[in-house]
Amino acid sequence: MPAILIAIVAILVVAPLVRIFVSTLTPDGLDAWRTVLASPLSNNLWWRPLLNTLLLGFGVATGCLLLGGFLAWLVVLTDVPARNFIGTLSTLPFMIPSFAGALAWGTLFRNDRLGGSPGFFQANGFAIPDWLAWGLAPTLIVLVAHYFSLAYTIIAAALSSVGADMIEAGQMAGARRSRIFFGIILPVVTPALIAASSLTFAGAVSNFAAPALLGLPVRMQTLSTRLFGMIETGQNERGFVLALLLIAVSATLLFFSDRLVSGRKAFTTVTGKGGRTKRFALGVWRWPLFALAAAIGMMTSVVPVLVLAASSFAPQSGALFSNWTLHFWVGEGGGEIAQGQAGLFRNPVLIDALFATLKLGIVVAMTTMVLGLCLAYTIVRHKGSLLANALSQLAFLPLLVPSIAFAAAYIALFGAPIGPFPSLYGTFALLVLAATAHNLPYAVQAGRSVLGQISADIEESARLTGASFLTRMIFIICPLAIRGLLAGAILVFVKMVRDLSLVVLLFTATSPVLSMVAYRYASEGFMQFANAITLVILVICLAASLLAHVLQNRVQKWKQ
């Protein structure tokens, strides 16, 4: 069993990365290295996209730390009103696809530089400068609005571990608030700040949707969009080189951030004495800061959804709240609206994409959780062994690889026949394999967290009675671990439904998914269709989360 698992993980994770590296060592691959790094084309192929990528990465990480850290401090360590309400609003943006924010931004701030229908503000008399409508600035704002909730979650968890006894000791010693913050609170949460900055940086540099929708129209390229362009135009070797360089950029930062955290002095904050959280009194600033936090939450989670909803009913972006029509949802084709295209639920392509997306999400969730459970079981039961360490490292390797680069690696491995096996490019099977491998770390982590709480004595007793491995897994391990497994499966399902970066290179006419169809419509100027599809994706994600909550309450009734 362990040998089989190592072979499976090696094929799913290691083989594509090795294959994409080997592909760049051929004569065409070596020529691609020279073209990308040391040729007259290098500035457009590598250096300028690298600069834009790094600016986005560091800008998003800084913005997320400031925004997420401020909200986490406000919710955890102050007496601000309605803390739960602010905390809920602060976690919602990460559930919304990043391309939803980009579409909402375009609906509001698009100007007439590129022709077509202007956005809401310009159509109503407001002059929108190019730098605000397109390029680096709007992309940065959209990505900060999307990823800051990830930073908030990490920092809030760290701040909640800061015991009241430490803060009160500082107050008794006469320390001012600034001294307490910089001398007590900040050192304790530094690992969380580093983790939040590295994760948001990695998310920003690998993000494809926002730079593509807001940057490509004005030729602002990042490594992810340049990689997509190379593969889409058939320049595979150059695309593979860019994929390896993108992996190197992301992995280097994650490596140094991990070394920075592991090399610093640790602080013990959770003891048997200090379980309380000290909240600072805001005084007259309670309600102004509440209003500011609520405005941030509404602008980053509620307003984009309302804009998308209004746009899906409005014939023109300049009149979002008048002359509404259901044509973009259920209208028949052949009329003057939308160049005669039928509405969302009358378009066979969109119906096929809806079912393909649901099918892909369910299948990937099942395959990922089954494989993740087997890996987690082996890692937990052989903890500390060479086998467990090897499996753990291999299973978490996809975290270092940006989604679009991982898709490029799968094209390199499975895009051509391998011996008697045919090419998988353009098939549903390739989407499932790539998605299963890329989401494996989340499944393994979910499995390890629940299996670590199940005593080995229970399984040992069953084994002594003659129960086989399969019997123990079905009747003992799975029922006890089902809550965590369902949570992990829903997480994988939601990621697949709203993910664009992974499927953008693997998408074909025979394997449509909603996120890619929405991107295509937005690229062609049909914003109402793109926004309507995005709303469908949001509804699916919210329904999946609700279903997970209901199932978790029902599958373990013995705990009630």
Side-chain angles (χ1 to χ4, degrees):
M1 180 69 176
I4 296 176
L5 288 176
I6 289 180
I8 292 175
V9 175
I11 293 174
L12 290 178
V13 178
V14 180
L17 299 179
V18 172
R19 176 57 180 161
I20 195 174
F21 177 71
V22 172
S23 298
T24 63
L25 299 181
T26 62
D28 290 339
L30 294 175
D31 182 66
W33 279 106
R34 287 190 293 268
T35 303
V36 170
L37 295 178
S39 77
L41 298 177
S42 297
N43 189 46
N44 288 328
L45 291 179
W46 165 242
W47 296 110
R48 189 173 297 170
L50 174 65
L51 176 61
N52 291 333
T53 300
L54 293 178
L55 287 175
L56 276 179
F58 287 112
V60 169
T62 302
C64 288
L65 283 183
L66 294 175
L67 203 57
F70 164 71
L71 292 171
W73 167 78
L74 204 62
V75 171
V76 178
L77 293 182
T78 73
D79 62 346
V80 68
R83 290 192 303 273
N84 292 336
F85 173 71
I86 296 176
T88 301
L89 283 181
S90 300
T91 57
L92 289 179
F94 196 61
M95 295 181 60
I96 303 174
S98 60
F99 60 84
L103 290 175
W105 186 275
T107 301
L108 293 176
F109 293 97
R110 179 187 176 99
N111 62 16
D112 55 4
R113 172 179 175 175
L114 303 177
S117 300
F120 175 78
F121 288 121
Q122 179 146 331
N124 286 276
F126 296 92
I128 304 298
D130 289 342
W131 66 266
L132 187 60
W134 310 100
L136 190 65
T139 304
L140 179 63
I141 294 172
V142 167
L143 291 179
V144 169
H146 176 66
Y147 285 109
F148 86 87
S149 58
L150 176 61
Y152 164 82
T153 303
I154 297 172
I155 298 172
L159 287 176
S160 64
S161 68
V162 180
D165 52 346
M166 294 189 296
I167 297 176
E168 290 172 350
Q171 291 175 333
M172 292 177 63
R176 292 181 297 180
R177 287 190 177 185
S178 59
R179 178 62 176 169
I180 292 174
F181 176 79
F182 289 103
I184 298 177
I185 297 176
L186 190 60
V188 171
V189 300
T190 295
L193 297 177
I194 295 174
S197 62
S198 61
L199 289 177
T200 52
F201 178 93
V205 301
S206 64
N207 188 277
F208 169 79
L213 291 172
L214 298 175
L216 281 184
V218 291
R219 299 182 179 179
M220 187 208 78
Q221 296 276 4
T222 63
L223 290 179
S224 61
T225 59
R226 179 59 80 184
L227 166 60
F228 170 73
M230 292 295 100
I231 298 294
E232 191 178 46
T233 56
Q235 303 177 62
N236 288 357
E237 285 76 15
R238 294 182 182 180
F240 296 158
V241 169
L242 288 173
L244 291 174
L245 293 172
L246 180 57
I247 293 171
V249 170
S250 180
T252 299
L253 179 92
L254 291 175
F255 171 78
F256 281 112
S257 65
D258 178 71
R259 297 297 299 173
L260 187 61
V261 173
S262 60
R264 71 185 296 276
K265 183 179 179 181
F267 296 90
T268 301
T269 61
V270 180
T271 66
K273 297 180 181 180
R276 297 178 295 112
T277 299
K278 177 67 175 179
R279 301 191 186 278
F280 295 97
L282 296 175
V284 296
W285 291 100
R286 290 182 74 234
W287 289 104
L289 288 178
F290 164 78
L292 176 60
I296 293 173
M298 297 292 289
M299 294 296 294
T300 55
S301 59
V302 178
V303 170
V305 176
L306 293 179
V307 170
L308 294 179
S311 175
S312 68
F313 294 109
Q316 296 180 346
S317 298
L320 286 180
F321 306 102
S322 61
N323 301 321
W324 279 7
T325 175
L326 292 174
H327 175 84
F328 301 103
W329 290 92
V330 295
E332 296 182 0
E336 296 181 358
I337 302 179
Q339 298 183 6
Q341 296 193 60
L344 176 63
F345 293 111
R346 288 180 179 267
N347 190 325
V349 174
L350 297 178
I351 297 297
D352 291 343
L354 173 60
F355 285 105
T357 302
L358 294 175
K359 178 183 175 183
L360 178 65
I362 293 172
V363 172
V364 170
M366 294 175 60
T367 56
T368 304
M369 293 313 300
V370 170
L371 181 57
L373 177 62
C374 294
L375 288 171
Y377 177 87
T378 304
I379 292 172
V380 171
R381 294 296 182 254
H382 298 81
K383 186 176 181 180
S385 65
L386 180 62
L387 169 66
N389 292 333
L391 281 177
S392 180
Q393 295 296 325
L394 290 177
F396 283 89
L397 184 59
L399 284 178
L400 301 177
V401 185
S403 301
I404 194 168
F406 202 77
Y410 262 73
I411 292 177
L413 180 61
F414 297 105
I418 304 176
F421 300 100
S423 169
L424 295 180
Y425 182 71
T427 65
F428 183 78
L430 183 60
L431 282 172
V432 172
L433 287 175
T436 299
H438 197 256
N439 288 294
L440 201 56
Y442 304 99
V444 172
Q445 183 59 34
R448 289 178 66 175
S449 64
V450 294
L451 289 177
Q453 300 173 6
I454 300 175
S455 174
D457 295 339
I458 303 175
E459 187 184 358
E460 183 64 19
S461 300
R463 190 184 67 82
L464 292 175
T465 62
S468 64
F469 170 77
L470 187 61
T471 300
R472 300 196 303 270
M473 291 293 292
I474 294 176
F475 294 102
I476 297 178
I477 300 299
C478 287
L480 293 174
I482 192 66
R483 183 184 295 266
L485 295 179
L486 279 175
I490 294 298
L491 172 63
V492 171
F493 176 86
V494 170
K495 282 178 59 61
M496 282 313 305
V497 169
R498 66 183 179 89
D499 190 24
L500 178 61
S501 299
L502 181 66
V503 303
V504 67
L505 290 179
L506 305 177
F507 163 88
T508 64
T510 59
S511 56
V513 290
L514 286 177
S515 59
M516 193 61 209
V517 176
Y519 170 71
R520 291 296 190 191
Y521 271 116
S523 301
E524 295 169 3
F526 296 104
M527 300 301 295
Q528 290 90 343
F529 284 118
N531 295 343
I533 296 171
T534 305
L535 286 176
V536 173
I537 294 174
L538 287 175
V539 170
I540 293 173
C541 293
L542 292 176
S545 300
L546 179 61
L547 178 62
H549 178 73
V550 173
L551 290 176
Q552 286 180 10
N553 289 335
R554 290 185 176 182
V555 295
Q556 291 184 325
K557 292 186 176 181
W558 64 81
K559 288 191 173 183
Q560 300 176 2

